[in-house]
Amino acid sequence: GRAEERLRALFVASDMDGDGNLDFTEFTQMVHHVNSNKGHRELLRMYAEMTLNKTVECNTFVRVCRKFRFFTFEVGPLVKRQDPQTAAVFALLIDEWSKIEDVVLELLV
């Protein structure tokens, strides 16, 4: 349906390197460009569930987004108020993940 089409379009637009996999950096950039009704913890839970299949390809992305009811979003700059520490927390998460991503992915193979 329409929600699935929007999610597929969001995936394609968010997959910056076009490799068919949404890595954590691409996911967090996508989160910053949509106005979602989801909190940061729930978004992290979504990504964690997506990565259970090792790679986050489009069908996995759509399935998990539908499960978490992540289809009421608007594309555009983030306008809702954020906890001032949110940006620092996400920057730290991205930094820490970049240090261990290769090892984690290797262990999952």
Side-chain angles (χ1 to χ4, degrees):
R2 179 137 164 70
E4 187 168 326
E5 288 173 22
R6 289 185 73 202
L7 290 170
R8 288 186 181 283
L10 181 62
F11 177 90
V12 170
S14 302
D15 181 19
M16 301 306 260
D17 56 10
D19 66 353
N21 174 52
L22 206 62
D23 64 35
F24 189 69
T25 302
E26 291 167 333
F27 180 78
T28 55
Q29 288 174 349
M30 180 266 303
V31 166
H32 287 294
H33 286 90
V34 297
N35 295 322
S36 164
N37 59 349
K38 302 296 179 201
H40 293 297
R41 281 190 178 154
E42 191 166 12
L43 291 166
L44 287 172
R45 270 192 228 107
M46 278 175 57
Y47 191 76
E49 182 161 332
M50 288 176 195
T51 57
L52 291 176
N53 291 341
K54 298 173 187 58
T55 59
V56 183
E57 43 77 43
C58 192
N59 290 334
T60 300
F61 176 78
V62 170
R63 180 181 53 75
V64 174
C65 284
R66 290 180 70 105
K67 177 181 174 182
F68 280 79
R69 306 183 77 61
F70 181 78
F71 37 75
T72 54
F73 61 86
E74 295 298 325
V75 177
L78 198 63
V79 293
K80 66 182 175 184
R81 290 189 337 151
Q82 280 189 335
D83 179 329
Q85 296 174 331
T86 299
V89 169
F90 266 90
L92 180 64
L93 283 169
I94 291 167
D95 186 49
E96 291 301 313
W97 176 250
S98 69
K99 294 176 190 172
I100 63 167
E101 182 174 18
D102 292 339
V103 175
V104 171
L105 294 176
E106 207 171 285
L107 291 172
L108 291 173
V109 172

